[in-house]
Amino acid sequence: MNAFTPRPPRGAGADALLRAELAELLPPPPVPELTPERNLDLRHAVLRSALAAGDGGPAARPRPKVPLRLLAVPVAACAVVAGLVVLAPGETPTGSPGRVTAGRPAPSEAVRLLSQAALAAAVAPAPEVRPGEYVYVKSLVAHAGRDAAGGPAVLPPARAREVWLSADGSRPGLLREAGAADTPLGSPGPVYELDRPGAEPRKSTLGAEPPSVTRPTHAYVATLPTDPEALLRLVREQTRGAGGSGADADQRAFDAIGTLLAETWAPPEVTAALYRAAALIPGVTVLPSATDAAGREGVAVARTARGEQTQWIFDRTTSAFLGERTVLAGSTPAGRAGTVLGVSAVLVKEAAAAPGEVPEA
């Protein structure tokens, strides 16, 4: 019988009773199928709604070692998965392992935004780059400069930047920026060795350094841990003593993760783990509005160190990573607070057969 047909109320006429009995003999009406695009849109909408509803509800740490690919589930289960967000820095788990404890404080806005970006990244298409190919990244960049007299920093118009990186790191890559000569990447540097005092110098090359967080290859990035805590520990270890952020280990980690997001093409589960690892770094905040080098406006997470604020900009609707921006956190001889020192916009990530070859759109 058709279980979806309501019975007529008592006292209904004979015609109504007859129609109801005939309707019960009919099969249930067909349910229209969703197109893949509509299904993905609904899934993202449910994830965003579940995260937005967390303002007054509990937050829980995800079970360890759960593959992020499990996020690609039917729409009905997405709301459950979306509730498994990482804890804000400083929170610790309580209760039995693998169980959600009620009464946990709601996550910070930065953690919520990064969790949202992680959920979107986890269901994104995986990169298809074969070992002999190159990862091609096209972006727009601009970096402020100062004149010889030390005047305020001036940001020039954004210029195109293209990079080709060997997928397995076995061959040199290429950097191409508008207005500058092409720069080989990863070529062994020449050195001269002496076999004995007084001998003729012998030309040699420096040995290739192994891939790492600061010297990533596509193959190496694909092997990074997908557990956020393990990934953050690895990033901290491999950026220890690195220049550019002084003694601030948290900022070094934040900068390194930002470079991996912008300059590499990681598998979806690794990209999601990078966002969740960044959510564990203390001092990360949210900016309601920021604009990348392509003029795309979005929402950003930011961290301030050494008088400068580094911002990661995300699309408001899709939570996709758009680019980065660096601004002065306070007034200095280089400019007033808010002066933009650098800005970028990621436009394309594709596979290329050779350095200098631009993939077809």
Side-chain angles (χ1 to χ4, degrees), residues 101-318:
T101 303
R104 193 179 304 279
S108 69
E109 289 298 320
V111 172
R112 183 177 291 108
L113 178 55
L114 289 167
S115 297
Q116 204 166 343
L119 290 169
V123 297
E128 297 181 2
V129 186
R130 292 187 288 269
E133 294 183 326
Y134 289 77
V135 173
Y136 169 78
V137 181
K138 181 179 181 180
S139 58
L140 294 175
V141 297
H143 301 286
R146 303 177 67 186
D147 58 32
V154 178
L155 188 72
R159 63 183 184 276
R161 180 180 188 273
E162 297 172 289
V163 63
W164 289 262
L165 300 174
S166 172
D168 56 8
S170 62
R171 290 174 292 178
L174 179 67
L175 169 64
R176 176 175 293 167
E177 290 194 14
D182 289 355
T183 304
L185 299 175
S187 301
V191 296
Y192 290 88
E193 298 180 354
L194 289 176
D195 295 326
R196 64 183 184 280
E200 188 72 19
R202 177 169 52 86
K203 189 175 182 179
S204 180
T205 57
L206 291 171
E209 297 186 40
S212 65
V213 168
T214 56
R215 293 179 296 276
T217 65
H218 181 71
Y220 175 78
V221 170
T223 67
L224 289 176
T226 55
D227 175 78
E229 294 183 352
L231 179 55
L232 183 56
R233 283 196 299 269
L234 178 65
V235 171
R236 290 187 188 279
E237 290 170 3
Q238 296 193 3
T239 56
R240 185 179 294 116
S245 296
D248 190 339
D250 291 327
Q251 188 63 30
R252 289 199 300 268
F254 190 79
D255 290 341
I257 292 175
T259 300
L260 290 172
L261 293 171
E263 293 284 288
T264 68
W265 196 13
E269 62 270 19
V270 173
T271 303
L274 288 169
Y275 289 127
R276 296 190 185 279
L280 299 173
I281 299 176
V284 181
T285 59
V286 168
L287 293 178
S289 179
T291 304
D292 71 3
R296 298 175 297 189
E297 191 273 341
V299 62
V301 295
R303 194 175 190 282
T304 302
R306 299 184 306 129
E308 297 179 2
Q309 186 180 75
T310 304
Q311 305 168 1
W312 300 347
I313 307 169
F314 297 91
D315 185 278
R316 292 185 183 277
T317 303
T318 66

